[in-house]
Amino acid sequence: NTGIGWHEARVPTIATSVPRAAFASVTGNMKKEFTAAGISTPLIASNRINTPEVAEAILASGAADMVSMARPLLADAAFVNKAAAGKPESINTCMACNQACLDHVVQSKRATCLVNPRAGRETELVYRPASSPKRIAVIGAGPAGMTAAAIAAERGHEVHLFEADAELGGQLNMAKRVPGKEEFDEMLRYMVYRLKETGVTVHLNTPLIASDLRGFDEAVIATGVLPREPKIPGQDHPKVLSYIDVLRRKKPVGKSVAIVGAGGIGFDVAEFLLDDGHSATLDLPAWQKEWGVTDPKLARSGLRPGGPEAGAPARQITLMQRKRGKLGDGLGKTTGWIHRASLKSRHVAMLPEITYLGIGDQGLQISRGGAAPEWIACDTIVLCAGQTSRRDLAGPLEAMGKTPHIIGGALEAGE
């Protein structure tokens, strides 16, 4: 089995930002050497193989005799059966996010799966047919709402999914635009498939008020989150954008940028702006160059003699947070270092313990650790100061005598 590295390696090997089958060529080289030497031992390729198509391409090329998967079988235990049945569209795809499998393991928690919360809980989360089917409204078609709607419909309820926007997906539509997070599109694809498979009635462009839900037995509020207001004097300045303006509304951003907030969203926005949306995850040679990876036949251990060579950043970025300590400290246990290293290699300034004093034509005025005020000169300021739950329908529904079920970001805003 030719597994290449692990999450402790200084080069990413299994994270979502690694191109699919990025290391299959190493197995292919070994396969050629085996063939030339008359060695018949089968070779197994692994690392970022998450769909039947990727696996089949490796086998068809002759690079390996078999493929190995682990996390994809947490995402969908029926992966092999679905592939054998010729139904790859029905597979719940592993995103290689590590958030609920490896990150849990290194913290001595039970391994499960971000896209399949039943993994490791198959005897606890048992979805039985409803004894008395109900008419259920699910408000909000992000990942929480889509999942709840599909499961309720699968159990036999009549489910209507309402979304104020013109498309399904909620924040997945921003996440999938971040370089290295394209796999979120697979999560959205699978959820849309599940809605169709289970017969959920979808209503797009349909904002609701509480009285619209009188004819339903149950209401599920999955309306997600809103950006948290950092309340900086002058934040209505034309220089200021929200992360939604950048990732979803595609508003123009200047060449020098100050990002307020260094949680997961701040890091995502920084990575998006560094490359103007170009993703090395979809460009294997560019990814190899960025991380200093080459053919092991050309350099020992497959590390380029010149080391990593990150391209020139598209923008000059300053990333800031109010609290003390390392920026990105709350990112994934096995993947956070990748994001920090990527931004560091692109010369992103990372400033902790910042007090935001005001915004003006010069840019953003701050104080570092209580020191004298200074200006961060910039063309654009992007607010990534966290999120707050959006559940404005809950009160009016309770006043009508309906107790709603609140789920997802509407229940807990966790970025």
Side-chain angles (χ1 to χ4, degrees):
N1 185 334
T2 61
I4 313 299
W6 192 230
H7 61 84
E8 295 94 341
R10 76 160 181 80
V11 171
T13 58
I14 58 169
T16 189
S17 59
V18 177
R20 290 178 175 180
F23 297 98
S25 61
V26 179
T27 312
N29 288 340
M30 189 178 289
K31 180 67 178 172
K32 291 175 185 176
E33 293 171 8
F34 274 34
T35 301
I39 300 171
S40 59
T41 303
L43 284 174
I44 306 171
S46 64
N47 294 62
R48 285 292 281 122
I49 301 166
N50 65 339
T51 71
E53 295 83 1
V54 173
E56 185 61 30
I58 294 170
L59 297 175
S61 72
D65 301 291
M66 300 173 69
V67 295
S68 165
M69 300 180 196
R71 294 170 298 168
L73 303 183
L74 280 174
D76 196 328
F79 183 111
V80 175
N81 289 340
K82 291 176 179 179
K87 296 185 66 178
E89 71 281 359
S90 67
I91 294 173
N92 192 3
T93 307
C94 168
M95 301 192 303
C97 68
N98 291 355
Q99 290 184 42
C101 53
L102 278 170
D103 283 3
H104 277 199
V105 168
V106 299
Q107 298 175 83
S108 298
K109 297 178 181 178
R110 188 191 326 188
T112 179
C113 180
L114 182 136
V115 301
N116 175 24
R118 288 196 71 229
R121 294 188 173 92
E122 292 85 356
T123 60
E124 299 164 39
L125 291 174
V126 180
Y127 305 133
R128 298 185 176 90
S131 56
S132 52
K134 296 181 178 182
R135 192 165 188 256
I136 298 175
V138 179
I139 305 96
M146 288 191 289
T147 301
I151 291 171
E154 185 176 54
R155 295 185 59 211
H157 297 295
E158 178 191 337
V159 182
H160 292 257
L161 178 60
F162 297 92
E163 172 55 52
D165 286 341
E167 59 184 350
L168 297 166
Q171 292 199 107
L172 294 179
N173 292 303
M174 289 186 284
K176 70 182 185 180
R177 296 199 66 217
V178 176
K181 291 195 170 181
E182 290 81 8
E183 294 288 6
F184 275 92
D185 196 40
E186 287 286 348
M187 185 176 179
L188 177 55
R189 173 204 61 76
Y190 176 74
M191 288 183 166
V192 172
Y193 167 83
R194 286 278 291 146
L195 294 177
K196 294 177 181 176
E197 179 188 42
T198 57
V200 173
T201 302
V202 175
H203 307 267
L204 297 176
N205 296 306
T206 310
L208 297 179
I209 58 175
S211 59
D212 295 326
L213 300 171
R214 290 188 188 279
F216 291 91
D217 301 310
E218 303 283 350
V220 179
I221 295 179
T223 42
V225 296
L226 294 169
R228 179 181 287 116
E229 287 289 340
K231 298 180 181 178
I232 303 172
Q235 71 180 42
D236 57 347
H237 194 282
K239 283 179 178 282
V240 179
L241 299 175
S242 73
Y243 64 87
I244 299 174
D245 292 327
V246 175
L247 294 175
R248 192 161 194 181
R249 298 175 185 142
K250 303 179 183 179
K251 292 197 175 181
V253 178
K255 287 296 183 182
S256 57
V257 182
I259 297 178
V260 174
I265 299 169
F267 270 78
D268 278 353
V269 168
E271 297 207 38
F272 178 81
L273 293 175
L274 282 171
D275 290 300
D276 267 335
H278 173 264
S279 177
T281 301
L282 305 180
D283 183 349
L284 181 56
W287 182 86
Q288 291 172 324
K289 187 176 181 181
E290 180 179 331
W291 287 99
V293 176
T294 189
D295 190 329
K297 292 192 298 185
L298 302 178
R300 184 179 177 184
S301 296
L303 297 175
R304 296 173 72 243
E309 189 179 325
R315 293 176 175 85
Q316 176 188 345
I317 295 178
T318 303
L319 185 62
M320 293 164 283
Q321 67 181 24
R322 283 192 167 107
K323 63 184 179 182
R324 294 182 181 184
K326 179 173 63 179
L327 273 69
D329 196 39
L331 299 176
K333 292 293 182 183
T334 62
T335 54
W337 69 271
I338 300 172
H339 301 295
R340 289 189 291 270
S342 178
L343 266 55
K344 185 177 179 180
S345 72
R346 310 300 293 281
H347 310 295
V348 172
M350 301 189 198
L351 309 180
E353 205 174 350
I354 297 298
T355 300
Y356 305 109
L357 301 176
I359 295 170
D361 293 340
Q362 291 171 260
L364 175 63
Q365 189 181 39
I366 65 168
S367 170
R368 304 192 201 189
E374 60 179 290
W375 284 92
I376 301 292
C378 55
D379 302 318
T380 306
I381 297 155
V382 184
L383 304 181
C384 303
Q387 301 170 323
T388 58
S389 294
R390 180 181 183 181
R391 54 173 89 103
D392 45 297
L393 269 176
L397 281 172
E398 288 168 354
M400 285 170 47
K402 286 183 179 291
T403 301
H405 307 272
I406 304 174
I407 66 170
L411 178 65
E412 179 181 357
E415 298 201 20

